[in-house]
Amino acid sequence: VEKDTDLSGMNLLGRWNRTPSETSNLAVQIYYDRTFRREPTFQEERNTVDLDFQHRFKVTGRQELIWGLGYRFTKGDTKSVPTLVISPRNRADNLFSAFIQDEIVLVDDRLRLTVGSKFEHNDYTGFEFQPSGRLLWTPADHHVLWASFSRAVRTPSRVDRDIAASSAPFPALPFFARLLGNKDFESEKVLAYELGYRIQPTDRLFVDLAGFYNRYDDLFSVETGTPFLEPGRLIFPFQFDNKMKAQVYGIEIAADWRWLDWWRWRFSYSHLRM
């Protein structure tokens, strides 16, 4: 099939800021987005409204807190050919979110701790939380050591849950392979650990060294199901699931050398294993 695809979109963003004092500020943001996509086999019209509120303030001279609330409403209306079905065709989703982050100076100019978490409630997997923590240590001038931990998730989309895509590998035979979404598809998860060190031997040179280890669970997979009959054809199903795991780790080295006032060198090397 050869046919033009029609794409269009528009968005509108408004932001309001206020600074009640030297140690506090507020921000409210409203965002609207509309997209349209029409292909030979699929069409979607989507409208999204997003509201966001944030408040930052100093608790003490050593502690700064930032927190916020958010809400997103998105609605997609689809049309498609019989071999590519998203059911239900029209769906609206709600996402509620909140976050808090606390930055604490444990030792002046030497040790800083940042902890926080994001909390979400979505229509697919319910409640999700994503905590993080970071420790920054300056043992001496021009030396910085830091470590961090975080948890993140990728929540399901309509494709993970609602799609049914069929194809005929042998058009002359009544056999169909069908890729199916999974109503029980869970969020993909990662635990991420990082450790880094920066040194600045001279005013013109600094070097970064960082190592990381990520552990993934409940990753996307495709599982073979039991064949079944429909009128006039045999269906071989393949269903989305969360039966994959992974480990990703490596190192990164970077240097920035301002050799002359008008000439700068940047070097980097990364090694990644999955």
Side-chain angles (χ1 to χ4, degrees):
V1 176
E2 291 187 9
K3 188 178 180 180
D4 290 339
T5 295
D6 296 326
L7 303 170
S8 64
M10 58 164 288
N11 61 73
L12 179 67
L13 185 144
R15 184 181 293 120
W16 174 82
N17 293 280
R18 185 183 178 190
T19 306
S21 67
E22 295 180 355
T23 60
S24 175
N25 70 280
L26 303 168
V28 177
Q29 179 176 289
I30 302 175
Y31 177 74
Y32 168 73
D33 180 83
R34 175 183 173 85
T35 60
F36 177 79
R37 182 184 189 95
R38 180 167 55 206
E39 302 179 12
T41 58
F42 180 77
Q43 174 181 312
E44 184 190 52
E45 180 180 308
R46 178 166 295 277
N47 291 276
T48 301
V49 177
D50 188 278
L51 308 175
D52 182 78
F53 166 79
Q54 292 188 18
H55 181 206
R56 180 192 298 270
F57 64 97
K58 281 188 174 293
V59 181
T60 67
R62 291 173 171 264
Q63 184 178 8
E64 184 175 88
L65 193 71
I66 178 172
W67 67 280
L69 301 172
Y71 170 70
R72 176 176 295 175
F73 173 84
T74 180
K75 185 174 186 296
D77 299 333
T78 66
K79 296 179 182 178
S80 61
V81 296
T83 51
L84 177 62
V85 176
I86 293 183
S87 179
R89 294 185 181 276
N90 304 328
R91 175 166 180 160
D93 292 319
N94 297 276
L95 176 67
F96 300 88
S97 62
F99 79 92
I100 186 168
Q101 178 178 292
D102 194 3
E103 187 174 313
I104 307 168
V105 177
L106 301 176
V107 180
D108 286 339
D109 300 323
R110 294 298 181 191
L111 192 61
R112 184 185 298 267
L113 174 67
T114 303
V115 293
S117 184
K118 185 176 183 180
F119 308 92
E120 290 185 349
H121 186 279
N122 65 83
D123 291 344
Y124 295 95
T125 60
F127 178 76
E128 301 281 359
F129 74 101
Q130 301 175 77
S132 67
R134 181 179 294 266
L135 189 65
L136 184 69
W137 180 37
T138 308
D141 292 344
H142 309 299
H143 296 263
V144 175
L145 182 69
W146 55 268
S148 71
F149 160 80
S150 60
R151 177 183 187 271
V153 302
R154 184 192 74 84
T155 56
S157 68
R158 291 201 66 188
V159 172
D160 300 319
R161 290 288 186 97
D162 301 336
I163 195 169
S166 302
S167 65
F170 308 104
L173 300 175
F175 299 153
F176 279 81
R178 182 170 297 168
L179 195 61
L180 296 170
N182 187 344
K183 299 298 182 183
D184 296 321
F185 193 87
E186 300 178 2
S187 295
E188 297 179 292
K189 306 170 183 69
V190 61
L191 298 177
Y193 305 85
E194 299 178 45
L195 183 66
Y197 174 66
R198 168 178 284 195
I199 182 173
Q200 187 174 3
T202 71
D203 292 340
R204 293 180 176 270
L205 172 68
F206 74 78
V207 180
D208 277 337
L209 173 64
F212 57 91
Y213 171 75
N214 296 343
R215 180 180 177 85
Y216 295 86
D217 288 299
D218 298 325
L219 289 181
F220 175 92
S221 66
V222 179
E223 307 299 327
T224 304
T226 303
F228 60 91
L229 287 170
E230 285 185 351
R233 53 184 173 258
L234 179 63
I235 306 298
F236 293 89
F238 298 87
Q239 189 170 48
F240 296 161
D241 212 330
N242 299 93
K243 294 188 177 181
M244 294 287 285
K245 295 184 177 182
Q247 298 181 65
V248 178
Y249 54 93
I251 60 170
E252 295 179 348
I253 302 171
D256 192 305
W257 181 27
R258 196 169 68 251
W259 186 30
L260 301 171
D261 289 342
W262 52 272
W263 195 353
R264 171 177 288 185
W265 292 74
R266 288 181 176 173
F267 308 90
S268 66
Y269 171 79
S270 63
H271 182 80
L272 176 69
R273 294 188 65 87
M274 295 189 291

